[in-house]
Amino acid sequence: MAERILTMPLRATTALILTIALTTGCSAMHGDPKNPTKNPHPVKRYEITATADSPGPWDSIKGYISYEVVNKECTPENEFLGVHIMPRSVGLDIEMKRIDEKTWKGSFLRDYMLDDDYYGLGVCHWDATSVTANFIIHTEAFGSGDLLHVFLQKGPQTLYFKKKQYWDRSLTNIGGLSSSADNQEVMRHPEDFFPITVAVKEITP
């Protein structure tokens, strides 16, 4: 009788330990959406070319890429707000090398982030979503860019900036305000503006 009393708790304890181990093991299989992992073997390389027909030289030029999870069905939905809880986006600076007086080039990896199952709802797929070239003068950025799929589908994209903004040292944390080619002021007074054009293409092996 005493043997049976001791044996039952032991079996229950063993079962509990196994349950905790299995649960912990399953949880460990999922990645951490707050700390997404870099892809150890990226292969999709892209080139960014930025051309600025500016009124003067620049202090520096940097590229910037944003990465996001693109399939929201792999994430839990907040039913109250009606939105999916997405892993935080990842931003990456890109070194831009000068090619000539007006042109700079850099490269980035489209598959820089590792796809992972964060919530047990299927694999979340990362992709580069936006590409920007930032031209810096007197600490202010003149940024020209767009969504990656726009570049790949429509080709180079151009934004226009006022020349007087380039020389304006009073700008503080504003940066150059951009306009599109169909902006009425750009169309009426093109001599008052300068363009920054960005192009993106895949680099084939």
Side-chain angles (χ1 to χ4, degrees):
M1 191 69 170
E3 183 178 354
R4 291 183 61 187
I5 294 174
L6 291 173
T7 303
M8 291 299 292
L10 179 61
R11 290 177 179 175
T13 301
T14 302
L16 179 60
I17 293 173
L18 288 173
T19 300
I20 293 173
L22 289 172
T23 302
T24 304
C26 291
S27 176
M29 290 173 63
H30 303 310
D32 182 0
K34 295 182 180 179
N35 295 286
T37 304
K38 298 177 184 178
N39 185 353
H41 305 293
V43 295
K44 298 179 180 179
R45 184 176 295 274
Y46 285 71
E47 180 182 75
I48 171 175
T49 302
T51 303
D53 193 9
S54 58
W58 299 96
D59 294 335
S60 63
I61 295 89
K62 290 183 179 180
Y64 187 80
I65 305 296
S66 292
Y67 297 89
E68 298 178 11
V69 168
V70 294
N71 57 320
K72 65 180 181 180
E73 62 272 13
C74 73
T75 66
E77 183 178 5
N78 185 316
E79 296 182 359
F80 179 75
L81 297 176
V83 297
H84 281 259
I85 303 172
M86 305 294 289
R88 65 180 180 84
S89 60
V90 175
L92 186 68
D93 288 330
I94 297 174
E95 179 183 3
M96 300 291 288
K97 295 183 178 180
R98 186 171 182 172
I99 304 302
D100 56 38
E101 185 179 353
K102 299 180 179 180
T103 308
W104 288 259
K105 287 188 177 183
S107 63
F108 65 93
L109 295 162
R110 185 171 182 175
D111 53 348
Y112 177 78
M113 300 301 298
L114 183 67
D115 294 343
D116 207 339
D117 183 351
Y118 299 109
Y119 307 99
L121 299 173
V123 175
C124 289
H125 299 289
W126 289 87
D127 198 2
T129 52
S130 64
V131 184
T132 304
N134 291 312
F135 287 73
I136 313 298
I137 184 71
H138 52 81
T139 72
E140 299 303 325
F142 290 71
S144 184
D146 213 318
L147 298 175
L148 177 60
H149 73 81
V150 172
F151 285 114
L152 299 181
Q153 293 173 7
K154 298 183 178 181
Q157 300 296 304
T158 302
L159 291 177
Y160 294 82
F161 301 84
K162 288 185 177 181
K163 292 179 180 179
K164 67 179 182 180
Q165 288 187 333
Y166 174 90
W167 302 110
D168 189 354
R169 296 299 190 270
S170 66
L171 295 177
T172 305
N173 297 323
I174 297 176
L177 302 179
S178 62
S179 300
S180 60
D182 59 0
N183 178 277
Q184 291 297 316
E185 190 175 1
V186 173
M187 296 174 68
R188 287 196 302 265
H189 303 285
E191 71 280 2
D192 294 338
F193 294 81
F194 69 91
I196 297 180
T197 300
V198 177
V200 177
K201 69 176 182 179
E202 184 175 7
I203 302 175
T204 55

